[in-house]
Amino acid sequence: MSSTHRKRPNLRPEPQFRSKVISPSIMEPPGYLFPPRHELFRLLVIVGIASSVAFTCNLLANYFSPTSPPPFCDSSNLIEWFSDVCEPCPMNGECQGGKLVCDDGYRRNGNLCLEDGESNERAKKLAELVESYICESYAQFSCYGRGRIWVPENEMWEDVKHQVVQIFHSDDASYIYAKNKAMEIIDRSLEKKMNREGITELKCPSDLAERYKPVSCRVQQWIFEHAFVILPVCAMVIALTWLVGKIRQRCYLSTRGEELYHQVCDMLEEIAFKGKRESGEFEPWVVASQLRDHLLLPKERKNPLLWKKVEELVQEDSRIDQYPKLVKGESKVVWEWQVEGSLSSAGKRTKNATVTKLRSNGSTEVHPDKQTHTSKSGQKLGMMF
């Protein structure tokens, strides 16, 4: 046995791999489960028609016999709110017995309670009426000492009762809501306090009361507040006006006085030379007062400073003699032109220069009264003397 080793035969069976093949007869459903292929299309058409008829019948049934909406849950029973048998009660509404009743100032819109725009508008008008009453009372007290600063609420409602009736007529429920709403608005704009008697009093703020003051009161208060500035300014304006008036008057007296002075010189010179040529038929002198009335306009005679300016210029002129003379039994001051050794009147030269200047400036118009007055002055004086 040792010389020869025999192999033991392997008694383990060799694994055999066999592929499992599924027969086609097992995968296919039986033939009696589905209709034949040529009848499948007909079946689909029948199902579609049946579905359409059922859908149409359902719509018609809902249209002609609508189902009643679910009732509202009672406001006092909170357990019902979480059930599906009733509709939750909306805000600003009261639900009782499955019915919804909206609060004052709200209107029902479907299953909701929305604010009533008309009621809110009335509440705003009422708030404006109360504000106007309180603020006008404060403004009257501030301006003229009438009215009151703090107004009792009950007296205020009594005073505005007639205006309230015009807004709300006889709708008491709407008035109560609008009054409460208006008081909510007023609480944000007006000041409120309780007096010793427990009555509510209202007061308008100072900045809001300024809008209700009349224009005259505002102007008066502004003047009082700025009096220390207005008085010096007014004094300066008055003084400046007076000074400008004085300067204008002085310029007018100087200009008009020189113009009259030149006319006096021309007339005296003309009368003097005319009397010399006609050998004593004309007096060479002229009464100063008559010459004044002849040259001055009626409104200029009321200003004595104007003729005084002319007299000063005449006194400064050495060609004119001024002396008293008895005329018709009265002593008069007369003016006489010195013919001997005198030169031509400066008034003529000035007059000619003025005319030349006016012509060069294109202004050749002469006032008809002055033209007539100047051209006939010599003739009138000649007839007078």
Side-chain angles (χ1 to χ4, degrees):
M1 290 181 65
S2 61
S3 57
T4 57
H5 296 281
R6 295 182 179 179
K7 295 182 180 181
R8 292 183 179 183
N10 191 3
L11 300 179
R12 294 180 182 180
E14 295 181 1
Q16 296 179 357
F17 297 96
R18 296 180 179 178
S19 60
K20 295 182 180 181
V21 179
I22 300 175
S23 62
S25 60
I26 298 176
M27 294 298 294
E28 294 180 358
Y32 60 85
L33 186 62
F34 293 101
R37 294 183 178 180
H38 64 277
E39 293 182 359
L40 181 61
F41 179 74
R42 184 183 302 174
L43 179 61
L44 293 177
V45 172
I46 294 174
V47 172
I49 294 174
S51 300
S52 302
V53 171
F55 181 74
T56 304
C57 293
N58 187 26
L59 289 179
L60 294 175
N62 293 333
Y63 179 78
F64 289 105
S65 59
T67 57
S68 59
F72 288 94
C73 304
D74 290 346
S75 301
S76 58
N77 191 356
L78 299 179
I79 300 176
E80 294 182 355
W81 288 37
F82 300 98
S83 64
D84 297 334
V85 297
C86 60
E87 187 76 18
C89 189
M91 296 179 61
N92 305 314
E94 184 73 19
C95 299
Q96 191 70 28
K99 296 182 179 181
L100 171 63
V101 178
C102 294
D103 298 338
D104 294 335
Y106 294 87
R107 287 184 178 180
R108 182 173 177 177
N109 186 5
N111 293 337
L112 300 176
C113 290
L114 302 180
E115 281 189 327
D116 186 4
E118 184 177 356
S119 299
N120 289 335
E121 190 67 24
R122 290 181 178 181
K124 290 181 181 178
K125 290 183 179 179
L126 185 59
E128 292 176 358
L129 178 63
V130 173
E131 179 182 305
S132 176
Y133 179 85
I134 301 297
C135 292
E136 285 181 359
S137 178
Y138 185 94
Q140 291 291 329
F141 180 84
S142 177
C143 293
Y144 311 111
R146 301 190 296 267
R148 287 178 292 182
I149 299 179
W150 289 94
V151 181
E153 184 178 352
N154 55 352
E155 295 184 10
M156 180 269 298
W157 288 118
E158 186 67 23
D159 293 339
V160 301
K161 179 172 60 178
H162 299 288
Q163 292 87 342
V164 171
V165 171
Q166 295 178 0
I167 298 175
F168 294 95
H169 303 291
S170 59
D171 193 355
D172 294 335
S174 178
Y175 169 69
I176 294 175
Y177 166 77
K179 181 179 179 181
N180 296 332
K181 191 74 174 180
M183 292 307 299
E184 293 178 2
I185 299 174
I186 291 171
D187 291 341
R188 296 193 294 266
S189 59
L190 302 181
E191 299 178 9
K192 182 186 294 186
K193 74 172 185 178
M194 299 289 292
N195 59 11
R196 297 179 179 178
E197 299 176 358
I199 300 176
T200 304
E201 294 183 345
L202 302 175
K203 174 182 175 292
C204 181
S206 301
D207 54 347
L208 183 59
E210 290 293 331
R211 306 177 186 176
Y212 292 88
K213 290 182 180 179
V215 178
S216 58
C217 176
R218 296 181 185 180
V219 173
Q220 183 178 0
Q221 289 184 348
W222 185 86
I223 292 175
F224 287 156
E225 292 175 359
H226 302 83
F228 293 101
V229 178
I230 294 175
L231 291 179
V233 171
C234 291
M236 292 178 60
V237 170
I238 294 173
L240 183 61
T241 304
W242 177 83
L243 182 61
V244 171
K246 283 293 183 181
I247 294 175
R248 291 186 60 184
Q249 184 181 11
R250 183 172 297 180
C251 293
Y252 167 73
L253 292 177
S254 178
T255 304
R256 181 60 177 160
E258 291 180 0
E259 181 182 353
L260 293 173
Y261 163 70
H262 293 317
Q263 293 181 10
V264 168
C265 292
D266 293 341
M267 293 179 183
L268 293 178
E269 184 180 7
E270 184 177 355
I271 292 172
F273 280 99
K274 190 173 183 180
K276 184 178 180 180
R277 288 196 307 269
E278 298 184 6
S279 62
E281 292 184 5
F282 291 96
E283 295 292 342
W285 47 265
V286 178
V287 179
S289 59
Q290 295 179 356
L291 185 59
R292 176 198 63 196
D293 296 338
H294 176 71
L295 293 177
L296 295 181
L297 298 175
K299 64 179 181 179
E300 293 178 339
R301 296 172 189 172
K302 299 179 181 180
N303 188 2
L305 298 177
L306 180 58
W307 189 249
K308 187 176 181 180
K309 180 66 176 178
V310 177
E311 290 178 347
E312 292 177 357
L313 295 175
V314 170
Q315 290 178 359
E316 296 174 358
D317 195 340
S318 61
R319 299 169 300 176
I320 302 175
D321 286 342
Q322 181 178 355
Y323 54 90
K325 187 175 180 61
L326 191 64
V327 179
K328 296 181 181 182
E330 296 182 3
S331 179
K332 302 286 186 180
V333 177
V334 297
W335 291 346
E336 181 180 353
W337 184 267
Q338 299 297 321
V339 181
E340 292 79 5
S342 63
L343 299 176
S344 173
S345 172
K348 290 185 178 181
R349 292 195 300 269
T350 307
K351 181 178 179 181
N352 294 335
T354 304
V355 173
T356 304
K357 184 177 180 181
L358 291 175
R359 288 179 179 176
S360 63
N361 293 334
S363 175
T364 58
E365 295 183 1
V366 181
H367 196 277
D369 296 339
K370 292 184 178 181
Q371 184 178 7
T372 305
H373 183 76
T374 305
S375 61
K376 295 183 179 180
S377 59
Q379 298 179 3
K380 290 182 178 179
L381 286 175
M383 293 174 64
M384 291 170 58
F385 302 102

